[in-house]
Each structure stands twice: as C-alpha cells, then as structure tokens.
Amino acid sequence: MKSKWLVVLILIICTFSAVACGLSEDKKEQEQAPEKSTEEDLIVIGFSQLGAESDWRSENTKSMQSTFTEEKGYKLLFEDGQQSQTNQITAIRRFIQQDVDYIVLAPVTEDGWDTVLSEAKEAEIPVIIVDRMVNVADDSLYTCFVGSDFELEARKVTEWLNDYCKSKDIAADELHIVNIQGTMGASAQIGRTNGLRKAASNYGWDIIAEESGEFTQTKGREVTNKLLRQYADINVVYCENDNSAFGAIQAIKQSGKRVGSNIKDGEVMVISFDGVNHEALLDVVSNQISCVAECNPLHGPRVEAIIKTLEQGGMPDKKSYVDEKVYSAQDEVSAIMVNDKKYDITILSEDNVIDYYIENQMKTQTEN
Ligand code: GYE
C-alpha cells in the first residue's frame, strides 16, 4: 500500500516538474522572442545590379542601398553583375537558394532570362524588374517593371534636334550624325538607337556610323576619336549616356574641333541622356551638351512602394515609367510634341541649374 502511494507521489512530482520545465522553456523563448522575430521580420531582398559603369548606375545603387536598410525593416543582399549576364543568373540562383522574399533585377541586356526567371517563379519568389527591361516569352515570369521609356527619351531629343534645326535653317541633309551607343542589347541602348533611327528616316538625316561606347567615358572617347578620324563631316555626336558624352567632348576637343550647337559655324553638337550629375547639367549650361533627355536613377523608393503594395496583398501596375524632363540651354525650342503630347523643354542657366540638380535628387514618383 505504502509503495503504491510512493509511486503516485513520484508521478505527481514528475508531472509538476515537467510542466514547470515547459513553462520555463516557454518563458525563455518569450524572452528571446523579440530579437529573433526582429531578424525574422526583415523582408529579404536579393538585388542583382548589372554593374558600375556610369554615374547613373552609382546613383541607382546608392538609391537602392539607402532605401532597403535594416532600420526600415529590410535585409538587402546586393550582387554586382559586372556587366555579365552569367554573373547575374548565378546571383539570381543564389537568391533562390537563400529563399529571399523578393528578387530585384536590373538586367544588363534584354534577352536570355526565360530559364532563370522560370526557376524564380517555380520557387514562388516575386521578381521586380528595375531600370532596363527583360524580353521574355511569358510576362508572368516577372511581377512588374519600373524604369524609363528609353525610346520616348530618344524621341524627345530627336524632336528637339529637328525643331532646333528648323529654327536655325539647318537643312536635313546638312546633318551628319554618329551614334555612340550604349551596351549592345540593353534596353537603354535599343530604345535610344531605335528612336534615333526612326527620326533619321522620318526627317531624312544621315547617320554616318553607330558604334558602342559601352556607356563609359573611356570607351566613348576612344570610339568618338576613331570616328572623327574616319569621317571629316561629323557635326552631331548623339551619345546614349552622359559618361560617353564626356568622353566624346574630350575627343572632339582633342581633334581640334569646337563643341557647341552652332552647326552652321562648324561646331560639333553633342546630345545625351541621363542628366544625373551636376557636371552634365553644367555642360548643358555651357553648351557643351546641346540637349539632354533626363533619365532618373532613383528607383529605390519606387521599388519599395511596389514591395509595400505586394506585402499588403495588392497588385502593382505591370509596368510603370518615370516622368522625365528634357534639358537645353538654347531657348529656340521651348516645347516639343511626341505622340500628340507636349513636353516643355527645361531651359537651364547658371541661375537655375543647381535647383534642377537638387530637384532630380529628390525625385521619386512615377507615372503609368
Ligand atoms: O542611361 C546609363 C547607364 O540603363 C538607364 O545605363 C540605364 C543606363 C543609363 O549606364 O548611364
């Protein structure tokens, strides 16, 4: 009898101590909980950046890095593709293995993404395409795109050129244009090249040569230098970004020619894209660059707005484009028309250039 009560007593003690142990485990977990859940609550974003070729790109990287911080609830995994699609594909596969919450891709070129984006879709990871576009057979392979309309940018500067020439009585057959293209196969190159070709065929302009300056100053200088030696009559150098324009300006000066808008007087006109850094806008003011189509790189807040929409169960617009300006210091053309829409030309001067520079730095909105 006594031993039976002893067994019951031991059972009761064991049960109590087990419950007590459980409680203390729970308590421990609760104590650790805040730290653990903070780490777990971070939204993990794998960002495959294509490289570091230009001022535009540096600003774009900074915008992403300053937006997706731990203080704001994000963990940003940043991979620099160094202009190689293979590197970018490897980065995306790594993000899939790490099971990130979102993949953000700034693709170096348009083609060749179908397989890796199918893998991301299979893993149910939303993919946001930023800056340049991908060319895929099935557009459900990415969630959405935010960036610029590159052909529209080109149409803006070419309309400006056409109107400027009319205002100065420069005939279409007097223009001898070379195009210093961007990275071949990149949306920014494709759109800007197509826009120029269409305008040339509409207006009867002569495009003497097209060659890639790879969006860099060094290559822009090298290619312009070579073309100037090959063709004596070049009077418009159309550069697909500001860095290649900086190189082109150096090459034109080194060749002994003058840079400027006065084609009739033998000057070589430079046209460009981006308008990101202060130097480029000052080059507009001093008429080294006659016209610049703005291309805004501050996509961090735009991507964040997309992620917030997705987090709340919403569906962002499939494609959204940044609303961008056109700059010139020449006041002959005050507005242009593209597709029946009027775009005012922002006339830069020494007095207002800093204001526009600051405005660009703050710009975060898009239009659809
Ligand atoms: O214009 C150029 C950069 O894709 C919009 O890439 C971007 C372009 C930009 O290197 O400067």
Side-chain angles (χ1 to χ4, degrees):
M1 213 40 195
K2 243 188 194 172
S3 61
K4 190 183 160 199
W5 280 113
L6 195 63
V7 171
V8 171
L9 194 67
I10 289 170
L11 276 176
I12 291 170
I13 291 170
C14 283
T15 314
F16 267 111
S17 58
V19 169
C21 277
L23 279 180
S24 74
E25 281 300 311
D26 280 354
K27 208 174 158 215
K28 254 193 238 156
E29 256 176 39
Q30 269 171 18
E31 276 166 9
Q32 287 168 354
E35 213 183 299
K36 209 172 157 209
S37 69
T38 313
E39 176 69 9
E40 274 176 3
D41 282 352
L42 292 179
I43 297 174
V44 183
I45 298 167
F47 174 40
S48 169
Q49 175 61 291
L50 65 91
E53 73 286 357
S54 64
D55 293 315
W56 191 101
R57 190 68 45 206
S58 313
E59 289 299 322
N60 179 246
T61 297
K62 264 196 258 162
S63 172
M64 295 291 285
Q65 288 175 333
S66 59
T67 302
F68 296 108
T69 59
E70 297 209 358
E71 298 79 70
K72 288 173 73 187
Y74 303 101
K75 189 175 170 72
L76 182 69
L77 309 176
F78 178 85
E79 295 276 353
D80 178 348
Q82 300 183 352
Q83 309 298 321
S84 146
Q85 185 179 40
T86 313
N87 289 347
Q88 291 201 278
I89 290 174
T90 308
I92 294 172
R93 294 211 165 113
R94 206 173 302 135
F95 295 149
I96 296 172
Q97 274 164 13
Q98 288 165 302
D99 196 24
V100 299
D101 297 309
Y102 296 92
I103 291 173
V104 180
L105 168 65
V108 61
T109 45
E110 286 194 349
D111 294 341
W113 297 101
D114 299 71
T115 308
V116 76
L117 293 190
S118 306
E119 292 165 24
K121 190 179 174 185
E122 185 92 346
E124 294 179 13
I125 302 174
V127 175
I128 300 164
I129 310 290
V130 71
D131 161 25
R132 301 177 184 173
M133 204 18 174
V134 290
N135 177 23
V136 283
D138 167 9
D139 76 0
S140 76
L141 293 183
Y142 62 89
T143 306
C144 60
F145 161 83
V146 62
S148 301
D149 183 337
F150 302 115
E151 192 164 327
L152 175 62
E153 291 175 349
R155 303 239 0 235
K156 289 175 184 169
V157 291
T158 51
E159 281 310 298
W160 178 89
L161 178 60
N162 189 47
D163 289 356
Y164 179 81
C165 288
K166 276 199 263 168
S167 79
K168 295 284 181 189
D169 273 332
I170 301 168
D173 62 3
E174 283 180 71
L175 292 185
H176 305 291
I177 306 170
V178 288
N179 182 7
I180 311 302
Q181 297 169 292
T183 303
M184 298 310 289
S187 311
Q189 176 272 315
I190 296 170
R192 291 168 185 168
T193 296
N194 284 346
L196 175 64
R197 286 183 188 162
K198 282 183 191 165
S201 92
N202 279 348
Y203 298 125
W205 299 338
D206 167 31
I207 301 179
I208 306 177
E210 299 177 321
E211 204 162 317
S212 178
E214 293 169 8
F215 286 133
T216 68
Q217 179 159 350
T218 316
K219 194 76 185 170
R221 182 175 58 231
E222 194 184 303
V223 171
T224 312
N225 194 3
K226 193 192 85 182
L227 294 173
L228 286 167
R229 283 203 221 135
Q230 243 173 307
Y231 307 100
D233 55 351
I234 295 172
N235 53 14
V236 178
V237 184
Y238 175 98
C239 300
E240 290 186 0
N241 81 336
D242 283 341
N243 291 84
S244 58
F246 297 152
I249 292 168
Q250 289 176 311
I252 298 166
K253 288 181 176 167
Q254 277 162 10
S255 77
K257 297 195 170 174
R258 284 175 297 127
V259 181
S261 309
N262 201 342
I263 292 177
K264 286 248 190 229
D265 192 36
E267 288 183 344
V268 180
M269 176 187 280
V270 174
I271 287 176
S272 180
F273 297 84
D274 287 352
V276 165
N277 68 10
H278 200 200
E279 191 188 345
L281 297 185
L282 287 175
D283 276 352
V284 174
V285 173
S286 64
N287 207 21
Q288 300 291 285
I289 303 179
S290 295
C291 185
V292 173
E294 183 203 354
C295 183
N296 193 279
L298 307 181
H299 293 320
R302 298 177 185 126
V303 175
E304 187 185 27
I306 289 171
I307 289 177
K308 282 190 171 155
T309 304
L310 291 168
E311 286 290 304
Q312 286 157 11
M315 193 33 89
D317 291 314
K318 191 76 184 181
K319 288 181 187 171
S320 34
Y321 295 99
V322 184
D323 187 18
E324 296 166 323
K325 291 194 174 65
V326 187
Y327 298 111
S328 178
Q330 310 296 308
D331 56 11
E332 284 83 355
V333 183
S334 57
I336 46 157
M337 293 293 291
V338 178
N339 293 337
D340 296 327
K341 190 170 167 190
K342 183 173 164 241
Y343 296 90
D344 288 328
I345 306 295
T346 302
I347 308 291
L348 292 185
S349 68
E350 271 174 27
D351 298 336
N352 66 16
V353 66
I354 189 73
D355 299 334
Y356 284 113
Y357 175 65
I358 293 167
E359 194 182 300
N360 282 1
Q361 296 286 309
M362 317 278 288
K363 186 168 175 172
T364 54
Q365 82 280 16
T366 52
E367 62 169 28
N368 298 308

